[in-house]
Amino acid sequence: GRFGEFGGKYVPETLMKPLEEVEAALNQAMKDPAFKDEYLSLLVNYSGRPTALTYADNITETLGGAKIYLKREDLNHTGAHKINNAIGQILLAKRMGKTKIIAETGAGQHGVATATVAAKFGMECKVFMGEEDIERQALNVFRMKLLGAEVIPATSGTKTLKDATNEAIRYWVQHCEDHFYLIGSAIGPHPYPKMVRDFQKIIGEEAKEQFTAVEGKLPNAVVACVGGGSNAIGMFYDFIKEENVRLIGVEAGGKGLNTALHAAKMAKGTKGVIHGTLTYLLQDENGQITEPYSISAGLDYPGIGPEHSHLSSIGRVEYESVTDDESIEALQLLAKTEGIIPAIESAHALAKAFELAKSMTKEETILICLSGRGDKDVHTLVNLLEGKEEEHEYV
Amino acid sequence: GRFGEFGGKYVPETLMKPLEEVEAALNQAMKDPAFKDEYLSLLVNYSGRPTALTYADNITETLGGAKIYLKREDLNHTGAHKINNAIGQILLAKRMGKTKIIAETGAGQHGVATATVAAKFGMECKVFMGEEDIERQALNVFRMKLLGAEVIPATSGTKTLKDATNEAIRYWVQHCEDHFYLIGSAIGPHPYPKMVRDFQKIIGEEAKEQFTAVEGKLPNAVVACVGGGSNAIGMFYDFIKEENVRLIGVEAGGKGLNTALHAAKMAKGTKGVIHGTLTYLLQDENGQITEPYSISAGLDYPGIGPEHSHLSSIGRVEYESVTDDESIEALQLLAKTEGIIPAIESAHALAKAFELAKSMTKEETILICLSGRGDKDVHTLVNLLEGKEEEHEYV
Amino acid sequence: MFIPFITAGDPHEDATVEIALSLQKQGASILELGVPYSDPLADGPIIQEASKRALSGGMSISKAIKLVSVMRKKGVKIPVILFTYFNPVLQLGLESFFALMRENEIDGVLIPDLPYEESGRIRELAAENEVAYISMVAPTSKERIQKIAADATGFLYCVSSLGVTGVRSTLPVDIGTFLEDVKAAASIPVAVGFGISTSEQVEVLKEHSDGIVIGSAIVNKIGQLEQVLLNKDTRRDGLNQIEEYVASIVSPIQKCEV
Amino acid sequence: MFIPFITAGDPHEDATVEIALSLQKQGASILELGVPYSDPLADGPIIQEASKRALSGGMSISKAIKLVSVMRKKGVKIPVILFTYFNPVLQLGLESFFALMRENEIDGVLIPDLPYEESGRIRELAAENEVAYISMVAPTSKERIQKIAADATGFLYCVSSLGVTGVRSTLPVDIGTFLEDVKAAASIPVAVGFGISTSEQVEVLKEHSDGIVIGSAIVNKIGQLEQVLLNKDTRRDGLNQIEEYVASIVSPIQKCEV
């Protein structure tokens, strides 16, 4: 259950049995062709995979450097890559005979994805969400309810994603008999980071096939944003063995790495344990986990998936960061030149890739994971760009 | 330029030349394989087609009748079928050497689709939108601006879609030299209704192929909602020749056909001319066009595409209506059982199809056009289902 | 020829009749009487507003037609052309429409959203009912001018520039050429309209056309005088102001005709 | 054995020392001293709140360890077990952690989020430093009980029921069987904890275990008395109340030991 020195199961003894059950079921499922068939069939017939690979001709021309391709995870059902994993895990839950689903959510995207698959599989669904996030993301709360899920406010700690995750784990310990915990990113105790990666690696597999079909070669660089890191690990995984392909993960630099307001675990974090896994995280000198900051709710997590920590430590993936402002600028540029409004998360990958593209030749290529659509962020953008009151954001 | 007695070009002499130019260019383009290739390539690589065909197993089981399939136009880039037509028309605009785009929009969906393709093609874009709609749909206005479009308030008449269309036409007359008018539904003077149908018929072509691949036969009924009627004509067109397939268009019954608040042109309208075409429409006894009503902004248009009037008159398509309440109930049912939040427009088709399914056998099948996703309607739903103030809707 | 346009019922039926008389007094050769419409595609804001005023007073196509009888009784003798969008005509029914026109002594009809290709049946009925069907040509009509002119009756209405009705400060530079082309093709008088509001414009256009239509400029004046015209006690004052204004614009036409 | 749990620095360092003395006075056999943590996964709301109070006063893992020296000086003689999540230990560094523990006369350590499989190195270091490493078993541990028990030192901590720490009104029905299974596997004393708050529960559990851990019930009392305990002038009164409360719960244990 490790990626190099990272990962593991740093959990109370009470969680060991449910984790072992998940692991056993997962190992068995992954060997069962019928499981993979059902997973792929749902991805195709329900979520709309394969997602498109879009050549961004205008932005390529504007930047004047490397050719830029976008892997369009924004075109998935519910608008982001999150559904790939949610489908995989709920199939596993069904296989394990579980009838109820638990999930944590920050801004609500994974909560919506989970509520979606729970509805599709007729399972009860409880989504833990920080009390503050519930207020800020009232529309996503409404969506989850519309999909039949119950949204449970996490009132402990900072009342955000970190604490929603704590609450979900606490609830799971007590109700593991009939509940499956559907984690949304490549984080948490083993086997979750591996499982989420395995359910997300289709992104990179598809993109690689599509890219080589169009370009007849591999991309020079693959870029993805990293919060917990599920879209990035999904995008990178099939490219790890391709040694000539540069892999670049982009963290949220927030207001800048020289401030306290960022979510750059690789640049500014240290090794530690969060939510049951050993990885890089943001903490103070006493080992208390600190609250990260990013304009992007999806990157605003104090830890990072342990496999990323490993890939960084062996030098296979480069981790960079991009500030709020740089990401918003990239978002606007993509909207105006390509007619695609990306999620602010994805805009972090774009910003770094655009910068990189300028320094590359026209014969070179960059493949970017456009992890989600920006519709969910329009309130944030209105407030930011038109200077409106934050208090309207809840609607 | 007619569908039976319907259609035509009821426009000022000043518009005849631009219309003839569009028609000539369209006829030429449609014969050019390179044009069709570029259109299809954009649909695949930019918008993510083919869209999925989803078997709605849970709802089928819940209703206990015909098997229900959903054609997932909600999975298109920008969230609805609108982009199919926008891509087709902007390619034509490019071919004609036009550099600027005009469009009308009601709730903003077609405006967003047009702004999107205009951005992708580097064209200037002006979207006419009723002053009242601008206030009610501030987020879509913001989206269009983010995509680089200019939103021009229509201040005449009822300050809604009808008048935005008038204003767009008026502007076009004066600027037809370098402007292309990109109409969003299968309405307007010839060749628009035919052109929009030709750019939307891919919905039905794909669905037919997908459906027969899964079921080995044609569906017993195909159902789509009808406002102007572009998703419906796109869905129906390839099935018109299949005489054993029932085709059902569903209009907005609003508060009920026995009230004045509906948008049921077939049930309650009379023949007349609107926006340059002869078709069924809502008008008073003096031939003044009246304002329609529907909870769904996309069905809230006083006319209907002329081809629908024709298909109704020859009895090939049945037109029914569904009230606000019935559509919302269907929306909630689909969300809870299938994990899909449909647009309120599409929910009208769902409501009628669900009713129909109950009266059919388990061996029979219904194919529904899920024309768009419901994210855009979440504000409306919050207000409706949680009894919030309408004044918050604009955010 | 001076051809003024006003909207029936703007701001009130009675006022419309009296405005018609004033226009006749100021030398109008033909009166274009507009039927107010909810969706006037060919019109700019000024005439849209007039439609709104008239519709809010309950004006309709049949009332507008019947108003001409009243005008006749009150002394309007010049030909009256009904300007109406096609949809109200359709709702009345084509036959009823022409019967009503005849009955109310209307001389012609102009339907701005019924281009040549869609007007076959209407032209037949117009001929049967001895009502002139006024056709329009635009600067972009080009090769269409021939066929339109060939079947035109009454006079041929030339749209001076692209766009909608309304007051414009300048005329297109090639307006002379366009009008001469139309005159060459037409065997009936040629009138020009859309955007004409100053005596300077009239001065230029009278050289190339037999008639000049002035709509928005007059309708705009009527809009400004709405309250004055609605009030019976002040109406005469309003009419005087309209007469004065019209006189100032159309003096070149009248000079020419004198 | 009565094994009370308190959080270091809750509500204040000095108060913690005095509470420890009170607990010793009330017959505590071992003191479990909790290091407050930002993300206490195994704890319920009562201990989370205590962590929050302690952290806001600036408590940290090294301060908590050093506080035991102070306790010793003030007269705490019973063994002290440090209860801490793994992350603060990691930040201190495993070697420094054990050195600090030794230096401050701490007898054992319990790390709730470090299950058997992840604890190899820690157990080695604990042995080297002669610090007991307290292992936990849960009702779901089943076949894991054998291996955990085999390597356990100090005492073996049995989690009475699934879930987090906190006050529960009932005990699981099969708690007796579970504890007997553990006792059979263990060669060291067996203690039970999680959710115990009434003398009735104690009455039942003492039959099946060598020690009973009471945490949330005491911490809850401390929380209620926060202001009283923070104020030097009223602290003694608060301590008296804690002592009374503890006496009422633990009398069955003491009876048993007498």
Side-chain angles (χ1 to χ4, degrees), chain C residues 198-217:
Chain C
T198 68
S199 54
E200 290 76 13
Q201 291 169 329
V202 169
E203 198 75 62
V204 174
L205 292 171
K206 70 174 186 183
E207 302 299 324
H208 305 289
S209 69
D210 308 304
I212 292 175
V213 182
I214 299 185
S216 297

Side-chain angles (χ1 to χ4, degrees), chain B residues 2 9 13 170 273 283 288, chain C residues 38 40 48 87 118 141:
Chain B
R2 294 214 168 238
K9 282 186 202 173
E13 174 63 20
R170 289 179 184 126
V273 166
Q283 54 187 327
Q288 306 290 348
Chain C
S38 56
Q48 289 173 44
N87 196 47
E118 305 289 0
S141 298

